[in-house]
Amino acid sequence: MSRQVLQVFEQYQKSRTQFVQTVAELASRPQNIETLQNAGVMSLLRPLLLDIVPTIQQTAALALGRLANYNDDLAEAVVRGDILPQLVYSLAEQNRFYKKAAAFVLRAVAKHSPQLAQSVVDCGALDALVICLEEFDPGVKESAAWALGYIARHNAELAQAVVDAGAVPLLVLCIQEPELSLKRIAASALSDICKHSPELAQTVVDAGAIAHLAQMILNPDAKLKRQVFSALSQIAKHSVDLAEMVVEAEIFPAVLTCLKDPDEYVKKNVATLIREISKHTPELAQLIVNAGGVAAVVDYVGETRSNVRLPGIMMLGYVAAHSENLAMAVIVSKGVVQLAIALSEEPEDHIQAAAAWALGQIGRHTPEHAKAVAVANVLPKLLQCYLRADASEDLQTKSKKALKNILQKCVHLPALEPLLHDAPSNILKHVVGQFSKVLPHDSKARRLFVTSGGLKKIQEIKADTGTALAEYINTINNCYPEEIVKYYSPGYSDALLERVEQYAPKV
Amino acid sequence: MAAMVRLLRQVEGIVEDSYARKNEAEAEREKEYTAVVTVQAWFRASRVRAYMKHLNSCATVVQKTWRGFLGRRFYRVLVKNSVFIMKLNYYNNMATNVQKMWRGYYIRKYVFNYYSRKRYLEALQIKNEIIRSELEDYAEQQDVMRKRIEEQREKIRQEREARKNHHLISTHVIPGVYNSPFLPFPAEQEYILRSVKPLPHSKRQATKSSFDPAWASYNDKLPKSLPPLAEKPQGPFRRPGSVQQQRYKPFQPTLRVSTDFYGLEKAREILKGEEWVTRYNDEIFQPFTRSDARRYEPLMHSTSMFGHQPYGTKYFREEQLDKHVTQLPFKSLVPPIPILDKLNDTYSQGQV
């Protein structure tokens, strides 16, 4: 008799198990999710979270996590279904497999938007997750760290909440664990915490994260390196002090080898790190230059394409912007050539804009710098970027500024001459201005200017009197005998013919 | 009388004589007179001349002395001036030298040093070359290593494949698929097949793991027999007594951990409380030896009718911030000297 009774229960339990397992299976395929949602899977899974059988609980949590992972509507549904407090409660109670699954749900919910992450925080998940970080099992730690990272990723308040829950020291401990995936995720979480504000980054630094992160830069695992470099750059980007602390971990010149990594993201993150450090002060930039960082970055800019190249280009610009000495260092490291290549071969506007900006920073210091930039045949390209009809506004302003900066220092006339022919008036002003500064003092240049047709071009420019352009033209004309100026003025042949007509021959 | 007579006889002569004499005198008088005048004039003239000469010589002496005096005075001024000018020129030269040296030094040290810049840039180029070649080497090395790992993996995979498909090997009688009799020599795969052993027959795996802690269901059967014991651990162990002692040794916190941080304050509180409880009389006992029975008079600064003021413990000076001219603290108006600020602080950009 009792056997029959028990059989009913057994059957019920088997069907429940089968149901959750099937739902979890189905939820792992995106095409099924809409059907599942329409079938009301949420309301069915919710009671199963409270099932007496641990397996069913875990599988239900797994299914929920997969659903919530899919889009923010489903995550919203999880929040609205009051499932989170239940999960958080059991996060502290249950075994490690359940913890993993619960942390997965929390992560899946928190990943979509700040509001959802806030609702996860509001139900007290942080403390439970932080306790999970103290667990012995690396898998639990990993999923807890992952969830914390996704929560902290959205904004400074959430990151602050994570920090206030005391997660940082435990995450730093997690970095030191032997498991690669745990290290990776903890580094990523630290990176997400650091990125919002100097204070948060300082908290992470105070927990001693830099030394451990710095130890891992030569790790062979590419994905770990990505996260490590991302974390270091997020720390270094905020202030000079933090950047100096990162530098003091003696990451140079070891990080430069990672610029040769086969993994694109590692390369990009390393370049970002170098950029974030070099942008702060001339001293830090000098340190990088002295470690041979500029040569490495120049090579890197030459080897990579599109977005990966962008941080390298910006790093060169930042270094050159600090002082003329550093700009000269960029020039002797053959940075200008690579930037010119990047400027001409990159199809995207924002990368061209960055290259134009960097070139402007290099050329703006002294005539020597401007010459180095000008002989790389950059000026026509910059002009082309400025004049192109489909160029973005940013690219136009950047290239104009760069042109102006370089032209105001450039006294290398052969490079300026092509600009006389196709520059618009607001650029032409600077070009003619440079000629008017050089020609009065250089007889050879005066001669060359006439033979190359520059003077003729100057006479053809129509400048309103009283403008700076007219003044420059006047200065140039004053360097030459009147006949030559007249000879090259447009309409002079007509004037001569007129004189022939009016001439009365003496018979 | 004779004399008289003689005289008388001579009278005429005498008269004539005297006349003659008188006439002669008369005749010579003019001449003598001019002669005398001439003599007198000469004498007087020579006397005056001598006097004039004397006077002239005196004037000359006076003049020469005076002129000497003036000349010496002028000379002294002249010498002073020329020495002054000479010194001035000398000092100017020296100052120029000093300024030249200092400017050169200062510019080279703090502003711009062409040669050090040149050296630096050359060194930088060398360093860049070194870094480039090192990175090149490193990348190459990494490539080689990666390739080697890949090859190894490929080899293991091939071997496993070959072991799995070992039945395709040719026998003495029947040639295998990789050993076509129409070809001069067998395919490569044939050699690989020959070089490996066939996979052993896989043992029939249990359909369900007997104990799975991950997804254990509660209707799992209990294992019939306990798993076999591990081999008996060997080795010289510590005596059980000492292990026991170590296991249950009392907790020995450090002094810092074991003592309360606020222990002193708490002890004072307790003492005070005990003293208050055991006190018989709340009136403060005044010793008999105290002659003046004056009460304690608190300072005017530190008391008010509303209670104690922290004057002297928290602040020492009356502060009326609203009466200040400005909220910011005063700053001296003397501008800093920029060069002095820069000394030993920044270095020439060229220097490494």
Side-chain angles (χ1 to χ4, degrees), chain A residues 421-444:
Chain A
H421 297 282
D422 35 38
S425 68
N426 54 351
I427 301 291
L428 195 62
K429 184 172 67 182
H430 301 296
V431 180
V432 178
Q434 288 310 108
F435 275 110
S436 76
K437 278 178 212 163
V438 177
L439 290 178
H441 309 290
D442 190 347
S443 57
K444 259 188 202 161

Side-chain angles (χ1 to χ4, degrees), chain A residues 44 114 129:
Chain A
L44 288 173
L129 285 170

